[in-house]
Amino acid sequence: DTCNFRGQFLFGLKLNTFETLDMSGKIDTSQANKIFVEKYTAKEQGDQPVEVKVDDVKTGVFIGNCKGPGLVVMISGKCKNITISRCEGIAVVFEDCIATVEI
């Protein structure tokens, strides 16, 4: 039964049920000088961009596992670096980045 995720392996993780995957978007600012923008989808956001406000020049922004088409991540303020990982069909708009933008 290929459609049953119960007890199957998905991305190397054993899942009890398919519902254990949390696919809702979130912005995590719990770590100092780091902002994580993860798991957003264009369907979830609609026409509204994901807005990230950076208050400190030492802050790095990580954008991961986001899916478009048409998803926009807007970063306001000056940040140290931006890393975009495992994203498809997204646009990233930013004011200033001091060091690197890595895709």
Side-chain angles (χ1 to χ4, degrees):
D1 187 12
T2 59
C3 294
N4 183 4
F5 287 99
R6 188 176 310 274
Q8 298 292 321
F9 286 88
L10 182 63
F11 305 115
L13 302 173
K14 186 167 193 261
L15 303 174
N16 292 329
T17 62
F18 183 73
E19 291 75 29
T20 58
L21 289 177
D22 179 20
M23 293 305 289
S24 60
K26 63 181 176 179
I27 297 177
D28 180 8
T29 58
S30 62
Q31 296 183 35
N33 297 327
K34 296 179 184 176
I35 298 175
F36 295 92
V37 180
E38 298 180 299
K39 300 179 183 175
Y40 277 95
T41 63
K43 184 178 179 182
E44 176 183 22
Q45 281 302 108
D47 293 338
Q48 298 299 315
V50 178
E51 296 184 16
V52 180
K53 186 171 183 340
V54 178
D55 295 327
D56 187 1
V57 167
K58 299 176 189 173
T59 301
V61 179
F62 173 83
I63 304 167
N65 299 315
C66 293
K67 304 249 185 266
L71 178 67
V72 177
V73 178
M74 292 184 65
I75 303 170
S76 62
K78 188 182 285 189
C79 64
K80 179 179 175 183
N81 64 301
I82 300 170
T83 302
I84 304 166
S85 176
R86 292 181 283 186
C87 295
E88 296 177 10
I90 71 165
V92 178
V93 180
F94 58 95
E95 292 176 10
D96 287 312
C97 181
I98 296 172
T100 60
V101 177
E102 182 180 350
I103 301 174

